Amino acid sequence: MLDNQKIRKLKRGELAGYAFAGVCAVSLAFLIAGLIAANVLGLAAFKLAVLISAPVVTAISAAASAYCNLRYGGALEKEISSYARGVLVENAALLHPERDSLTFTVTTEDSSALIKVNGYKEKIVFDFSALGGLSALRRASLTSVITSQLSVAFCRLAERGAVYKSVECIAGGKKPVKIIENGAPDKKIYREYLKTK
């Protein structure tokens, strides 16, 4: 289960990063508008003030935004990834790793994500209610994390000697992601898997 307090703290930090990015964009717009206005109106002192203040504000807000994204955004993604891996480990039998041909369908509903395997009735449920309302961007990010964790799991199983003809994942109605095809892991997926070792 995701830790509500920790997730709230990380989301606040991530939100602060977005706010600083907004300040950075506004200061860039102020720089452009200020320079145009100063040139049109012939205000040398205003032009100098704009040239001094706007780049400083832009640099500070860009640095703060980058810090927040690295500190909080990365930590939030790590928490989500760890949670997804834990759910898959707890529900390993429902992944049906004994089958040699598997198709996983990942869908998001309200504040959760579901995995169905082939035509089985059982579902693996990921509870993301700690994240609050899920935007379209967050939903896409969650399905990407789940797909990535499935890829790691099946590359690891294949490396340990399990034989699969085909393993693929369909997320969000998009084109299937081939994890294993014709008995071999996809090259790109396998490279990503090697980075997790």
Side-chain angles (χ1 to χ4, degrees), residues 24-36:
C24 183
V26 169
S27 65
L28 280 173
F30 172 70
L31 174 67
I32 294 166
L35 288 176
I36 291 170

Side-chain angles (χ1 to χ4, degrees), residues 57-156:
V57 172
T58 301
I60 291 171
S61 57
S65 176
Y67 171 78
C68 288
N69 282 332
L70 287 173
R71 173 101 165 95
Y72 300 104
L76 182 60
E77 293 304 315
K78 195 173 182 180
E79 284 292 315
I80 292 169
S81 187
S82 176
Y83 169 70
R85 182 174 42 255
V87 170
L88 292 176
V89 168
E90 286 173 19
N91 295 284
L94 297 180
L95 294 174
H96 295 281
E98 74 283 355
R99 302 287 307 267
D100 65 355
S101 184
L102 296 161
T103 299
F104 298 97
T105 306
V106 181
T107 56
T108 53
E109 299 176 352
D110 300 323
S111 60
S112 63
L114 308 170
I115 293 181
K116 286 189 84 172
V117 185
N118 291 5
Y120 294 107
K121 291 180 182 177
E122 306 99 352
K123 298 176 200 168
I124 299 173
V125 179
F126 299 82
D127 178 12
F128 293 115
S129 57
L131 296 171
L134 301 179
S135 66
L137 186 62
R138 181 67 76 191
R139 286 174 191 261
S141 171
L142 293 175
T143 56
S144 176
V145 166
I146 292 168
T147 301
S148 176
Q149 290 303 320
L150 280 170
S151 299
V152 166
F154 280 92
C155 283
R156 185 169 286 128

